[in-house]
Amino acid sequence: MEKVLQDLTAKEQQLAVKSPAAGVVLDVAAKKEQVLVPGSLVATVAVLDRLEVRADILSDDLREVRVGQKVAVSAPALGEKVLQGEVKKIYPRAEEKQSALGIVQRRVPVIISLSETANLKPGYEVNVAIETFRKQNMLIIPREAARTLEDGRKQVKVVVDGRVRHRLIETGASDRENIEVIDGLRSGDLVVRDGSLDLAEGARVRCRI
């Protein structure tokens, strides 16, 4: 009888599934009396003090993303607080995702580790900003301030003594909001923010700063 009990106890231990880490069970995938095969997902467990962020990056933007780059993470749940993170892993293939507008896009999952989690919880929606380029003492203007001419050169409209002057500029690095000016402007120049405005050379304007 004792031998039978020992065999049953050993069998029970073999059938028991133990989590590899202490945490909180988020979801139980296995159903009662379900027959499982090796490798089947039984449950999802979150280690709350080691949360990571998964961000789906457009494949066209991935060429500038590297493992180790710094990341700023914000979310409505964080208020004004911004968490610091780092790109930990870039998946080797893209996945097709449908945007909120119904557009199918190819995106690559990127895993971001966080130095702290604050009050974030699994499943929260966050915004991530990956620092792909750093340069100090840059002169930048809003992208919409620079107008591209037919020959490809960049032009801005500046205000000098109350009149509009068209000025060619040489540009450098840029992102979705700003563009670097290498030559053609100086710090303190008054630039018309909307370069598409039809303002003739020498037109008199009134500035509001």
Side-chain angles (χ1 to χ4, degrees), residues 73-84 119:
V73 178
S74 59
L78 295 172
E80 298 297 321
K81 186 177 181 64
V82 177
L83 302 182
Q84 301 304 311
N119 60 335

Side-chain angles (χ1 to χ4, degrees), residues 70 131-136 138:
K70 303 300 181 183
E131 184 182 281
T132 59
F133 178 81
R134 175 182 287 269
K135 187 176 180 180
Q136 296 180 335
M138 294 172 61

Side-chain angles (χ1 to χ4, degrees), residues 105-159:
Q105 301 169 319
R106 298 194 65 81
R107 294 178 175 267
V108 178
V110 172
I111 303 300
I112 299 165
S113 61
L114 297 174
S115 57
E116 64 170 313
T117 59
N119 60 335
L120 287 184
K121 297 292 186 293
Y124 279 19
E125 184 173 318
V126 300
N127 298 313
V128 301
I130 301 176
E131 184 182 281
T132 59
F133 178 81
R134 175 182 287 269
K135 187 176 180 180
Q136 296 180 335
N137 300 321
M138 294 172 61
L139 179 61
I140 61 173
I141 59 174
R143 288 185 65 96
E144 63 268 24
R147 176 189 175 193
T148 303
L149 303 179
E150 292 182 357
D151 59 6
R153 293 182 298 172
K154 299 286 187 181
Q155 182 191 77
V156 295
K157 298 178 177 69
V158 297
V159 179

